[in-house]
Amino acid sequence: MTDKPGYRRPQAGTQPDYLHPTYQSTNLRSPSKPLVYLPHSLSEITGPTIGAEHVAEKDNDLTAQHAGEPLGERIIIHGRVLDEDGLPVPGILVEIWQANAAGRYNHARDLHDAPLDPNFTGTGRTVTDADGWYQFQTIKPGAYPWGNHHNAWRPAHIHFSLFGPSILTRLVTQMYFPGDPLLAYDPIYNCVPDTSAKERLIASFDLEKTIPSYALGYRWDIVLRGREATPMEK
Amino acid sequence: MTLYATTSHTVGPYYHIGLTWLNRETLANELTLGERVAISGQVVDGNGDVVNDAMLEVWQANAAGKYDHPEDQQDKPLDPNFEGFGRVPVDAEGRFRFTTIKPGTVPGLKGSTQAPHLVVLVFARGLVKHLLTRIYFEGEPANVADPLLECVPAERRATLLAKQDASGVYQWNVVLQGTDAETVFFDY
């Protein structure tokens, strides 16, 4: 049987190294020994096809999970999940989580002195449609302090987790908001050297998606690894 | 059109909010075919301190050595009672435990055969990009001819082998960083 094509290796500068000393948690958690090159076999070009069957219709609305509405600036985030050839990736699970408008996570380990919101959990999920589109309604998360260095603040962000056609397309990342002055100081945002790659993590304001008198719209497209054209040879 | 894959970022310390709804620490049900195995271990950092905010994801073939995925076109049976996906958090001591079935052998590249193994992704605060490793089973005859184990320096292979303890549970630890026992991670 002819081997099937693997997945493309990252473009230089667009994916982080494990050790990134300005992000202190990497110092003891990054491998110190060389990674072993992994040819892409059947074990890697396959992957969990977790999707629609686990997601309820309203799971993409983070403003409708409690008796009342959460505090904060109501927003709609939408975009397309594409592969590196620009083709849509339909039918895949997209999971998100975030802080509330005050910059506090609904999590026992978050000790930031900002109020919890009884009407906001900060969890959402959806499945991309036939053209790769996803959409969430939520509130804009607040910035929050963290202990990485003196006066460290994370820029407002939403965590995204995606599957995709294979275990190699698995992606966990964070989406940011345009014009945030904290981005320049954030070691996580700045964990790759490629400026364009960083800027692709920032959503753009979308007036067309904005609903008058109701919610601001943002557009953010996500790209998963693409397939090699031919079976890979090392 | 050529695009570049979106940059990976850490799951951070609060991933539970978004991800634990899909925890799967029991991959097989009572009807799943195959030999039941329990796999247990601990995640530790470069100081040997426990990592209490990590999460593992597991992907594996069924007992016949077939993946529940359209790219697997082998003439082997799917098991309607097995998807092969696990999502396993660690507890306050960095410990994890999951139960599944031992997968069959699956084809490797260039006509080779891969020994029974699980693909494991490791997520945590401080991992800007998730790590990828594998669990093999100590004593499995097919290990000696496994094409990926052959690529791993001999003195490091043991980090990929789960070892059965006296109670029959397979023990396998994730050492993120270390001079001796650092787990082998793959450049995927």
Side-chain angles (χ1 to χ4, degrees):
Chain A
M1 187 170 67
T2 313
D3 292 331
K4 293 186 173 183
Y7 280 78
R8 288 178 215 162
R9 305 282 163 166
Q11 175 76 3
T14 66
Q15 294 295 337
D17 293 330
Y18 288 106
L19 178 60
H20 187 65
T22 58
Y23 173 26
Q24 302 231 1
S25 295
T26 68
N27 289 320
L28 287 169
R29 294 185 169 194
S30 50
S32 63
K33 296 182 189 292
L35 303 175
V36 175
Y37 185 87
L38 179 69
H40 298 163
S41 73
L42 187 62
S43 299
E44 288 82 30
I45 65 171
T46 56
T49 50
I50 300 285
E53 71 276 23
H54 300 297
V55 174
E57 197 181 339
K58 293 295 278 181
D59 285 348
N60 69 343
D61 186 353
L62 286 75
T63 67
Q65 296 173 345
H66 298 274
E69 283 226 46
L71 296 171
E73 187 180 309
R74 208 182 284 123
I75 60 174
I76 291 165
I77 298 165
H78 77 130
R80 288 182 92 188
V81 180
L82 305 168
D83 67 18
E84 288 178 305
D85 293 314
L87 299 172
V89 184
I92 64 154
L93 180 64
V94 182
E95 302 166 284
I96 67 169
W97 67 102
Q98 64 169 94
N100 69 22
R104 176 85 183 267
Y105 284 91
N106 183 17
H107 192 288
R109 288 184 189 157
D110 185 355
L111 304 177
H112 176 34
D113 180 24
L116 285 168
D117 183 341
N119 290 312
F120 193 70
T121 303
T123 303
R125 44 192 173 263
T126 193
V127 174
T128 56
D129 73 11
D131 297 312
W133 288 95
Y134 74 89
Q135 177 168 318
F136 291 99
Q137 180 167 308
T138 182
I139 50 92
K140 187 175 179 185
Y144 59 85
W146 61 312
N148 189 71
H149 56 274
H150 174 66
N151 212 7
W153 292 77
R154 292 294 332 274
H157 62 274
I158 296 178
H159 295 265
F160 274 71
S161 164
L162 297 94
F163 285 86
S166 100
I167 198 75
L168 296 172
T169 56
R170 186 84 176 88
L171 174 70
V172 173
T173 187
Q174 300 177 26
M175 186 212 87
Y176 300 90
F177 291 87
D180 193 328
L182 294 171
L183 289 169
Y185 305 98
D186 183 47
I188 296 181
Y189 174 74
N190 290 294
C191 72
V192 291
D194 186 309
T195 303
S196 304
K198 290 193 272 193
E199 289 172 354
R200 288 194 293 271
L201 297 174
I202 304 174
S204 52
F205 174 63
D206 187 342
L207 185 61
E208 273 185 42
K209 196 68 185 175
T210 296
I211 302 173
S213 305
Y214 188 73
L216 294 172
Y218 287 92
R219 168 85 186 259
W220 189 53
D221 291 347
I222 301 164
V223 181
L224 303 181
R225 286 174 82 171
R227 204 84 188 257
E228 293 279 1
T230 53
M232 187 180 52
E233 297 283 339
K234 190 184 178 186
Chain B
M1 175 160 57
T2 299
L3 304 174
Y4 297 122
T6 302
T7 299
S8 172
H9 275 182
T10 177
V11 289
Y14 309 128
Y15 72 81
H16 313 80
I17 297 173
L19 300 181
T20 52
W21 72 284
L22 195 59
N23 280 355
R24 302 253 182 109
E25 293 157 274
T26 306
L27 280 70
N29 66 31
E30 65 274 17
L31 297 175
T32 306
L33 301 173
E35 177 193 340
R36 265 61 184 169
V37 290
I39 299 174
S40 173
Q42 198 170 27
V43 183
V44 298
D45 71 11
N47 274 345
D49 292 331
V50 301
V51 173
N52 65 8
D53 53 8
M55 178 185 86
L56 309 183
E57 285 183 349
V58 175
W59 172 241
Q60 65 166 101
N62 69 21
K66 178 147 177 111
Y67 287 101
D68 183 8
H69 188 278
E71 287 282 338
D72 187 338
Q73 289 161 11
Q74 298 178 86
D75 184 22
K76 292 177 177 176
L78 280 170
D79 183 341
N81 293 297
F82 193 68
E83 289 180 312
F85 171 70
R87 178 178 277 178
V88 184
V90 301
D91 67 15
E93 280 77 49
R95 294 189 183 282
F96 60 87
R97 179 191 166 97
F98 62 96
T99 59
T100 183
I101 51 95
K102 187 186 278 191
T105 59
V106 297
L109 298 174
K110 298 176 184 150
S112 61
T113 298
Q114 303 192 77
H117 66 272
L118 284 60
V119 178
V120 180
L121 308 183
V122 184
F123 300 85
R125 169 176 63 86
L127 289 177
V128 278
K129 182 171 142 179
H130 55 264
L131 293 162
L132 187 152
T133 184
R134 283 187 177 189
I135 298 173
Y136 288 84
F137 298 89
E138 188 183 51
E140 191 68 34
N143 287 346
V144 293
D146 182 84
L148 189 61
L149 283 175
E150 276 178 18
C151 297
V152 174
E155 70 278 10
R156 300 190 63 200
R157 282 177 203 157
T159 70
L160 301 176
L161 301 180
K163 301 169 182 61
Q164 239 172 341
D165 66 18
S167 67
V169 174
Y170 280 94
Q171 297 292 333
W172 179 79
N173 295 317
V174 179
V175 180
L176 296 176
Q177 186 186 88
T179 48
D180 299 325
E182 182 177 303
T183 300
V184 169
F185 300 106
F186 294 97
D187 173 4
Y188 55 88

